[in-house]
Amino acid sequence: MGAAKEGRVTEEMIIVAREEDESPEKLRQRIASGVAIIARNNRRENVQPIGIGEGLRTKVNANVGTSIDLCDVNLEIEKTRIAVKYGADTVMDLSTAGDIDSVRQRILKEANVPVGTVPIYQAAVEVISKKGSIISMTEDDVFNAIEKHAKDGVDFMTLHCGVTRETVKKLGKHPRLTGIVSRGGTFLAAWILHNDRENPLYSNFDYLLEMAAQYDFALSLGDGLRPGCIFDASDWFQIRELLTIGELVERARAAGVQAMVEGPGHMPLDQIDANVRLEKAVCKGAPFYVLGPVVTEIAPGYDHIVGAIGGAVAGLAGADFLCYLTPSEHLGLPSIEDVKEGVIVTRIAAHAVDIVKLGGKARVRDLEMAKARSQLDWEKQFKNAIDPEKAVTIHARVKPKSSGACSMCSDFCAIKILREALETSGECLK
Ligand code: SF4
């Protein structure tokens, strides 16, 4: 952001601009003003820089990471590999068990895409294991964890800076149906309530900015008070936190630090558009990173689809970055197959948004697919499919009686019948 403000077009800007079929100068201007960011720490030179924000392709993040109940580093590495293979633009390591440093370092080594983390998890987990409770965490514990992640080259960090003492104290008198559902938000809220002190990430925000500038990581301003059910959507807590985050975005920009903003959460479909516009207005166009939104509560096992529906609506309204959900959301730690499903479904939502948002340059494969379908060219259809393996498997499941067609209509294949009719009548398909 510093270079962009000085009017310099960096190598990363050139790479992202080429990827996005955009002018490097236009991208530089967007980065300088903070409406777009490039997520890549300069410690990770072999990683593809990714642009997130205004005028750029909608990006997809996949979460991986260990938990106390299933702490298998190799499994998380494989999930990282699968997530990237199926189209995740970034990966976040949310590990809370095992040797967290080593898991993070291995994920950073495996992923050739930007990696994000939530350092408060590690600070809290380590304090709880050493001292028995989150309330004993010190400000140094928090900033030491951030520095550790930064030194490893983490590209962006979720930091719940907007969970303030004022908002948390109100929770007791004005309870929400699902309270706080963000892990980081809850760790901080418990600490604030017990110690009756301000959130260290908020009270030391200038120090945080110094670290971000020094170590070259982007801030992802976490929504610790996001609604955890559709009945808490757009309430005072969510909007109050957003207003605080809006002020912090301005301070980050003034310090030359890239910042994006995380958003809801659970939300009925008809509130998403207004929420995205509100974020863009309050945070002066900062890139918006949405978690879902989850648009209904009653589909456990299918929450990747629920999140993709919300993500598509949010993307259309201007959200820039979609965090995937998997079929395991609200139920357990995702499997490798869940990660694959989650990435693909979210990728579809992001692409559907880009067809509208970016027009022709996002429609190249769709055009190829439409032509291939009209020509009954199956190889070309598989080549242009988001998940070719699945398309091949389904097509091969039942062998069609009629050559060229598929088993859906077989002899009654509409495309074939029309083509034969035109050929017989002497008319030519152009
Ligand atoms: S058989 Fe039916 S579904 Fe299959 S390609 Fe022809 S028209 Fe399409």
Side-chain angles (χ1 to χ4, degrees):
M1 190 178 197
K5 280 180 163 184
E6 288 164 14
R8 280 192 289 126
V9 173
T10 63
E11 198 192 321
E12 290 83 357
M13 292 178 210
I14 291 169
I15 294 170
V16 170
R18 197 187 308 131
E19 272 293 303
E20 302 275 349
D21 193 16
E22 187 54 277
S23 115
E25 173 55 22
K26 210 184 245 180
L27 179 62
R28 182 199 67 74
Q29 288 170 12
R30 289 178 184 150
I31 293 168
S33 67
V35 298
I37 68 164
I38 292 184
R40 199 198 67 169
N41 193 311
N42 58 21
R43 281 161 187 73
R44 299 185 73 221
E45 283 184 355
N46 298 324
V47 166
Q48 174 77 15
I50 297 283
I52 302 167
E54 192 179 297
L56 305 178
R57 199 166 49 78
T58 308
K59 304 302 185 301
V60 169
N61 174 70
N63 293 332
V64 299
T66 57
S67 91
I68 294 173
D69 293 325
L70 185 53
C71 183
D72 179 344
V73 184
N74 292 330
L75 182 66
E76 300 312 316
I77 298 299
E78 183 57 10
K79 286 183 197 171
T80 303
R81 200 185 63 75
I82 290 292
V84 174
K85 177 180 172 189
Y86 287 97
D89 296 290
T90 65
V91 171
M92 287 194 77
D93 170 26
L94 309 186
S95 292
T96 52
D99 182 346
I100 295 175
D101 288 332
S102 149
V103 180
R104 179 178 63 255
Q105 285 153 8
R106 283 193 58 190
I107 288 174
L108 280 163
K109 210 165 154 203
E110 170 65 33
N112 61 351
V113 297
V115 170
T117 58
V118 193
I120 192 77
Y121 290 179
Q122 185 171 13
V125 165
E126 289 180 355
V127 165
I128 292 167
S129 93
K130 278 185 208 143
K131 301 180 188 167
S133 167
I134 180 73
I135 57 176
S136 308
M137 187 172 70
T138 65
E139 294 193 352
D140 279 350
D141 291 330
V142 176
F143 285 94
N144 287 343
I146 294 170
E147 190 162 30
K148 246 200 301 192
H149 290 220
K151 281 182 172 167
D152 280 348
V154 166
D155 303 279
F156 63 98
M157 293 186 205
T158 292
L159 298 152
H160 304 90
C161 307
V163 178
T164 61
R165 181 159 59 165
E166 178 212 0
T167 45
V168 169
K169 282 196 156 190
K170 276 216 163 90
L171 271 172
K173 295 194 184 73
H174 306 278
R176 307 164 106 186
L177 194 54
T178 47
I180 301 179
V181 295
S182 148
R183 264 188 291 186
T186 310
F187 287 144
L188 285 163
W191 186 89
I192 290 167
L193 286 171
H194 186 270
N195 295 294
D196 196 18
R197 287 178 59 195
E198 187 52 275
N199 174 355
L201 294 171
Y202 179 72
S203 55
N204 300 294
F205 191 67
D206 286 333
Y207 179 50
L208 182 62
L209 292 177
E210 278 172 34
M211 285 178 76
Q214 181 188 347
Y215 292 107
D216 193 33
F217 61 86
L219 305 183
S220 187
L221 294 165
D223 53 342
L225 297 169
R226 65 175 174 267
C229 70
I230 57 172
F231 307 99
D232 290 339
S234 310
D235 69 356
W236 183 88
F237 296 97
Q238 184 202 325
I239 305 302
R240 177 62 253 179
E241 182 183 39
L242 179 65
L243 293 173
T244 304
I245 288 175
E247 291 166 18
L248 301 179
V249 165
E250 301 233 39
R251 284 168 65 185
R253 285 178 181 175
V257 170
Q258 300 189 111
M260 56 186 166
V261 175
E262 294 183 18
H266 292 229
M267 181 156 287
L269 273 178
D270 63 342
Q271 293 184 29
I272 294 175
D273 184 275
N275 266 269
V276 174
R277 288 174 199 277
L278 188 64
E279 184 276 347
K280 289 285 178 181
V282 169
C283 302
K284 307 280 189 298
F288 199 20
Y289 177 19
V290 290
L291 318 171
V294 174
V295 296
T296 172
E297 307 298 331
I298 62 164
Y302 297 91
D303 273 332
H304 55 316
I305 296 169
V306 172
I309 292 169
V313 175
L316 216 48
D320 308 280
F321 190 18
L322 311 182
C323 187
Y324 88 161
L325 273 72
T326 74
S328 290
E329 188 73 22
H330 302 112
L331 297 171
L333 196 72
S335 65
I336 289 174
E337 191 53 32
D338 290 340
V339 168
K340 178 183 163 188
E341 282 278 305
V343 168
I344 290 172
V345 167
T346 315
R347 190 68 276 150
I348 294 168
H351 180 67
V353 170
D354 290 345
I355 283 176
V356 179
K357 192 167 96 174
L358 303 175
K361 64 184 176 184
R363 299 180 182 195
V364 176
R365 275 171 73 188
D366 292 85
L367 183 60
E368 289 302 303
M369 180 64 98
K371 285 182 189 165
R373 283 189 175 143
S374 74
Q375 293 158 0
L376 293 171
D377 182 339
W378 296 99
E379 287 313 312
K380 208 162 147 196
Q381 289 182 52
F382 301 144
K383 193 172 145 234
N384 284 289
I386 271 189
D387 183 358
E389 294 155 30
K390 188 161 186 173
V392 168
T393 305
I394 293 175
H395 181 67
R397 228 159 33 194
V398 181
K399 196 170 163 26
K401 287 198 177 70
S402 180
S403 87
C406 77
S407 58
M408 178 73 189
C409 341
S410 201
D411 277 351
F412 309 115
C413 173
I415 294 167
K416 223 177 144 183
I417 290 172
L418 178 65
R419 190 165 64 186
E420 284 167 5
L422 286 168
E423 279 166 8
T424 317
S425 68
E427 297 289 336
C428 289
L429 277 176
K430 300 252 176 340

